[in-house]
Amino acid sequence: MEQKHLKRLRADYAPLLQDKRLHVLDIPDEYRFMDPELVDMLEESVNSYLAG
């Protein structure tokens, strides 16, 4: 997710996200579905959030 996606989510779903934390991983939206490089980047980025 990029900053532009975060802004859109907050604009469209503000009441539902009021007490929720969202994390921007700063991965560009330029990969195809299940691209191995994208999957690797997601796994690396998300691990720190899931471990803590």
Side-chain angles (χ1 to χ4, degrees):
M1 177 166 64
E2 298 175 65
Q3 286 294 330
K4 66 181 177 183
H5 300 119
L6 177 62
K7 289 178 185 176
R8 176 122 187 237
L9 284 171
R10 286 193 173 146
D12 293 347
Y13 302 102
L16 296 172
L17 299 173
Q18 187 172 6
D19 295 320
K20 308 290 187 283
R21 292 189 323 190
L22 297 176
H23 300 279
V24 176
L25 302 177
D26 290 321
I27 296 174
D29 191 18
E30 58 189 40
Y31 296 92
R32 297 180 66 87
F33 180 72
M34 297 303 291
D35 182 311
E37 185 179 354
L38 172 61
V39 172
D40 288 343
M41 286 192 301
L42 287 169
E43 287 176 346
E44 288 177 24
S45 297
V46 172
N47 272 339
S48 64
Y49 294 107
L50 296 177

